[in-house]
Amino acid sequence: MEDSKKWINLALWCVIVCLGIYIIFKGMDVMKNTSTEVRTYSAIQYIGKNLDQMAVKTYMPSFLYPLQENEQTSSLEAFVVDRLFETVPLYKFVKLNSSYETDIEDEATYERILMAEHGEDSVMTSSGESTTAEAQETQLNQETSDTTEGETLPETQQEEQASAVPIAPIKDIGDITLEKLNDFDYLLNNFYTVDKMTTINSSQLNIESLMGNDLSITKDPSVPQILIYHTHSQEEFIDSIPGDPSTSIVGVGDYLTSLLRDQYGYNVIHHTGVYDLVDGVLDRDYAYTLAGEGAAQILREHPSIEVVIDLHRDGFENKKFVTDINGKPTARVMLFNGLSRTTSNGDISYLPNPYISENLSFSFQLQLKAAQNYPGLMRNIYLRGLRYNLHLKPRTLLIESGTQLNTVQEQKNAMEPLAEMLNQILSGT
């Protein structure tokens, strides 16, 4: 009896080994006889003819759909990912969301920003050498991989949007005239840098809508009206003291708060919550989601708040942006708008922002004030495809001041003209 069991086990193992060898050699034969360009597709065609592939045909049919004539698949992995996108909608959602919380500051973004800098303002290297940024800007509307934000945030209370008024008078500023600003191409190419993942047209970006929103508020120091917070509270500068928040972006936020409060009479909440540390380790994967929830909670607790500012410093390898304002070395400032729109898929329906028009007006009116009063202070407004919590209020700003190579004092110097211009817009002067 025992001998029979041994022979049966041996026979079964022989069958398994033979099948394994057959499968290996058959697979090698298929791959060997298939050219590199069509290997993936031909292999899948071959497998589809076999009985064991009927399960794939039944449960995941899109893996066997013919490729389009103009579709090129560089690897098996790319092909499988493409098919997963079409076959498993949840996979697409998770895949896209995984990139939402990556830091704004990425290498490709910096290249576009640097190329879009205007004039002769210095772009300093870490060694102190000065270079001149190229005075050109190109709207980049090339196709790119979809990227979306994380989970939608709790909705804040409904409020009336800033009322539309006739276009405010615009004084000619050097060669910037109202006639030129009415030209969409001129407006776009001289005031904006457009990330390749998004697109915008003249129906959204025109001087009538940008200047037609009245962003002034009725000042009431008895209640909070401005919220300043930091999605990335751990951002520091070249002379920051590790562990000392007063020398980080939080300290710069303290200074902006004191200017708006003491010099201009606003009641300001400076929220110093930390959203980019997890168990004491820098982690920005979910910083925007967490910061958005924190800011939304503050807005629920203080419904009188009308202005929301997310203050950052930019990050650019071996670069700092600095100019001279009133005889002081001053970090240059970039305003940032998210459009909730991707180039390839259009509007992101599950990340609505009813205040895009007001957001764009707020940043542009600041930009125009700077061009008039502090030329060289502002870099081009950066337009990108996500939302970045700009849906919290009509008057919401995401500000990138300088880079990690600016000094703390240069950053604080930038807050002085910024506070002045904010007061001019909010007071309607």
Side-chain angles (χ1 to χ4, degrees), residues 219-332:
K219 189 182 298 185
D220 184 358
S222 67
V223 294
Q225 290 186 292
I226 299 176
L227 169 64
I228 299 174
Y229 74 103
H230 311 276
T231 296
H232 298 153
S233 64
Q234 304 306 299
E235 291 173 334
E236 296 182 330
F237 312 105
I238 194 167
D239 57 349
S240 293
I241 301 172
D244 182 0
S246 68
T247 64
S248 71
I249 193 65
V250 174
V252 178
D254 280 335
Y255 188 54
L256 178 59
T257 298
S258 66
L259 289 169
L260 292 171
R261 181 184 294 152
D262 301 334
Q263 192 166 336
Y264 299 105
Y266 294 97
N267 189 330
V268 184
I269 291 178
H270 182 206
H271 176 56
T272 59
V274 176
Y275 300 106
D276 53 351
L277 283 181
V278 177
D279 297 328
V281 178
L282 186 66
D283 186 342
R284 290 176 176 162
D285 284 348
Y286 297 99
Y288 275 95
T289 297
L290 297 174
E293 292 170 351
Q297 178 62 33
I298 295 171
L299 295 180
R300 286 191 290 270
E301 295 170 356
H302 301 281
S304 57
I305 292 175
E306 298 182 69
V307 181
V308 178
I309 298 173
D310 186 6
L311 182 61
H312 295 248
R313 67 110 174 100
D314 209 340
F316 205 138
E317 185 176 0
N318 297 326
K319 299 292 181 183
K320 68 183 269 188
F321 294 98
V322 64
T323 188
D324 183 279
I325 300 294
N326 296 329
K328 299 179 181 180
T330 304
R332 298 185 67 200

Side-chain angles (χ1 to χ4, degrees), residues 211 215 309 335 360-372 377-378 381 397 399 417-425:
M211 297 302 294
L215 299 170
I309 298 173
L335 304 175
L360 289 169
S361 291
F362 203 1
S363 60
F364 179 78
Q365 290 184 29
L366 268 175
Q367 193 84 1
L368 202 59
K369 287 280 187 185
Q372 180 178 358
L377 173 64
M378 309 295 278
I381 300 169
L397 291 172
I399 300 174
L418 182 63
E420 178 189 333
M421 293 185 296
L422 281 169
N423 176 60
Q424 290 174 356
I425 290 174

Side-chain angles (χ1 to χ4, degrees), residues 26-82:
K26 201 65 179 177
M28 291 174 63
D29 183 61
V30 171
M31 297 303 288
K32 183 175 64 177
N33 294 315
T34 308
S35 66
T36 302
E37 291 76 16
V38 298
R39 181 176 295 166
T40 301
Y41 180 43
S42 297
I44 292 176
Q45 278 186 316
Y46 176 85
I47 294 171
K49 296 176 182 178
N50 291 273
L51 183 62
D52 59 348
Q53 198 62 20
M54 291 302 295
V56 177
K57 288 184 176 180
T58 303
Y59 296 106
M60 305 186 79
S62 71
F63 272 78
L64 302 174
Y65 287 167
L67 296 175
Q68 298 295 325
E69 290 182 2
N70 61 347
E71 181 178 349
Q72 295 182 356
T73 303
S74 59
S75 67
L76 177 61
E77 180 184 359
F79 177 82
V80 172
V81 168
D82 288 342

Side-chain angles (χ1 to χ4, degrees), residues 390-401:
L390 292 169
H391 68 299
L392 294 173
K393 288 284 179 176
R395 301 170 186 83
T396 302
L397 291 172
L398 196 162
I399 300 174
E400 299 266 4
S401 180

Side-chain angles (χ1 to χ4, degrees), residues 126-140:
S126 58
S127 62
E129 297 177 352
S130 177
T131 61
T132 301
E134 294 181 34
Q136 62 176 346
E137 177 180 288
T138 305
Q139 181 186 10
L140 300 173

